[in-house]
Amino acid sequence: MRRIGGLIAFGLLGIMAANSAAAQQANSAIEEVQRRVVKIFGAGGVRGLHAYSTGFLISPEGHVATVWNHVLDPDTVTVILHDGRKFEGRVVGAEPQLQMAILKIEGEDLPHFELADAGSAGTGTRVLGFGNMYKVATGDEPVSVLQGVVAAKTRLRARRGAFEVPYDGEVYIVDAITNNPGTGGGVLTTRDGRLLAMIGKELRNSETNTWINYAIPVEGEFADIAEQIMTDRFRSSRDEVKRDEPENKYRAVDFGIVLVPDVLFRTPAYIDHVLPKSPAAEAGLRADDLMLFVDGELVQSCKELEAELGRMEEGDFVPLVVRRGDELVTVELEVPDRDE
Amino acid sequence: MFHRLIFVAVTLLAVLLTVQGAAFAEDAEVLDAERQRVDVMKRAATSVVAIFGSGGGGGGSGVLVTPDGYALTNFHVVQGAGIFMKCGLNDGVLYDAVLVGIDPTGDVAIIKLLGRDDFPAAPLGDSDTLRQGDAVFAMGNPFLLATDFHPTVTMGIVSGVHRYQYPSGTMLEYTDCIQTDASINPGNSGGPLFNMAGQVVGINGRISLDKRGRVNVGAGYAISINQIKHFMDHLRSGRVVDHATLGATVATSQDGAVLVSSILEDSAIYRRGLRLDDEIVSFAGRPIRSVNQFKNILGIYPKGWQLPLSFRREMDGEIETKEIVVRLEALHRASELSLDRKPRRPPRGRKPPRRDENDLDRKSEPKSKKKIPEHLARFFIKKSGFVNYYFNQLERDRAMQQLTSWGDFSGLLGRWDLAGKTAQGQEIKIVCSEMAVGMFIGETAYLQQLGDDQQLIDEPEGTGGLLAGLNHFRRLLTRGETGFSEFYYLGSMPLDGEGERVDIVFAELNAAQSQWYFSKQSGALLGFDFWISDDRDPCEVRFEELREFGGRSLPARWIVRHANKEFASFLLDSCKLAPSSKPADEPALQEANR
């Protein structure tokens, strides 16, 4: 019986020690996470588009997971590690459905998160959010850290501008204001620094129009796809050029659409001019229209537009949404016969 | 079998007990921590001030830092609030308060609550010990919710330290500040950020704003209390306090080094040897790895402070590292600093403001023109160049109090004969009158003619103007304030960069300036710096050993330095100070004149 008493006392001691050391632990957990978080600088800086975001290392040789957005438009972006070391990063793969892009920098033995170790957390779990909000950190300065709790784990219903966001999977909703300019691609962790999720882009709730603070869980699909991209086995749901598929049946020009020169990694799909008497001309498309949706699918670049149009079947009618000036215009295109 | 059953039962019981015991223990810990937090916040709340403009408009927060009522707030809270304002504490009482001093660049102001000498002041913490993740709480009056002056408390963590925030508007630069996710909103401005020991670690004043309106979006910024400690005495001087510049700017090179990108040739740092393209290694004891870090350090010190700087230069393939001590120069011209006038563009290529960063509650309402009630009127003296000259007089008299114990020099306008020996054993003789100051070191004579049309010179050469400085010394003792065109309390700083903290009294006469250093501890006059003009290094005189000469005290040992070199050190053994001036009776001076 005495032994049992001793056991109980030992247990109590352990718990008390753990409590008093909790604050200390949070500090060092933050330091550990910061070593794995990077600052990313790329395209933007105009019309309210910020030119910076956040990412996190997921391999010792320099794979970085980040949010798929306009910052990654150039061929290379600047990736700055926690210690101020500066690298060139290139996109090696992306899954826009999950808002995920994987960059690669040339490094070795880098501190990183093991994707396989990513955990999950229930409602009420205390969490930390890491991200370079408002670009307040440069060089070797650590990114901002916020505290909060998981308010809910639920399906995302959000929109960006006027558009529904394609991703409607599970997300963590947090009570801290984690989603700010620059925090996309940052991480949500537990208080002891365990990776939970990637902070997404700034989005609004599609019903209430309020800004939401959410993060996309790493465990599961995100980790699987990131792993596939790193091992070069991945084909995106929206890969721009699907070389191993049969060649596109149609090209934009078959519809009478001549796009602007495709010079960027993601050139917006602006119409340069419309061929006379083509289906496009008949549908009333004009030069300078920006193609937004093809058959209900968001197209974010010339390549994506070509890929979407390439899948059409002759005789179909394709609904399109284009932006003309400040207006959204819906038109319908008839898919021409291929063998003309 | 039976035994085994009992054993199992006992084990089960033990496990249950452990689990239950643990649950209780944890609850007690949590409850205890909570109780502790509540106590700390209860105590902290007594020191938090709700500030209202005299016209009843505007509003912000503040925090009491001394029992006699000095309280810190933001400059942008008092801007436009008038000299007198109303301040509520959580005892429900509304107090009168008066504006004391402002720091428009650092967005800090100090006010004094009136009517008590036992205000509940908050202790000041050390903001340099804060780390990311530390718990902190903000107190103040967001959205002016508390009509009973009970401050609102919001809690969060330190999201970042040593943050640099570009100037908003023309000044209001936040350097080396603390970033927190504790919710800070309009009305919180000027209020304290506390650590969990209830010590003030910062003054909340700014939030990041974007497209979501003027509310907190998770990033608030507090001016570090360590910065304010540097400026506290300056602020209490009733002046518009200025920040500093180095006279050089830096930029990051391709490989990440911080290099001098421009430098003014008439700056002190240029005279100390810094040149274009030199790499800054450390500044004020902190390593420099980014431009922000450099600006962070520069931003937390008042002008005039002396800081160590080390830099690296490649010369003929060899890398040379040098360490210098530099005296910081004024960031603004005097005309650019005032309480009400909209400041002009800061000089020397400051960056334009960023749109998305904003100070809170900036006001545009006109100054109240109400008549000041009589019982308050004595706390305000209007004088050009000062926010409130009343407080300058107060601090000046306090700082100089000890000087009166040297004796009464007021009638001694005649010839002064001082004599002694240098450390090398040479005879030294000094003669001062109203017309000139002369000096012999051994056989060599030096002279500085005085009078309005006389130019002040570096005499003896290499001292920076010791003789002209001696005239300031004489005027200080014989005439005090009336001996100079400007004479005021400046603030405090560590003597010579690393010595004890000294009060500074500033004097100016015909463009020549001097600063007088009084020990904050003992009140003793420890020395002075004298400038012939402001684009030259000063003559630095330090005193040791106060001795009695003819019933009056004077410093006996004088150490004279200029441009980081010691010129001489001498010990006076005789001082004769004559009561009236007789121009004919000056053979020594005439001798020196020849």
Side-chain angles (χ1 to χ4, degrees), chain A residues 27 31 34 140 145 179-180, chain B residues 131-132 159 212 217 289:
Chain A
N27 281 128
E31 271 170 37
Q34 289 285 11
D140 65 351
V145 50
N179 299 59
N180 262 308
Chain B
R131 293 208 299 155
Q132 260 195 344
S159 296
R212 305 188 197 182
V217 287
R289 288 182 303 265

Side-chain angles (χ1 to χ4, degrees), chain B residues 239-253:
Chain B
R239 297 181 307 117
V240 185
V241 172
D242 196 10
H243 280 240
T245 173
L246 207 55
T249 59
V250 298
T252 314
S253 73

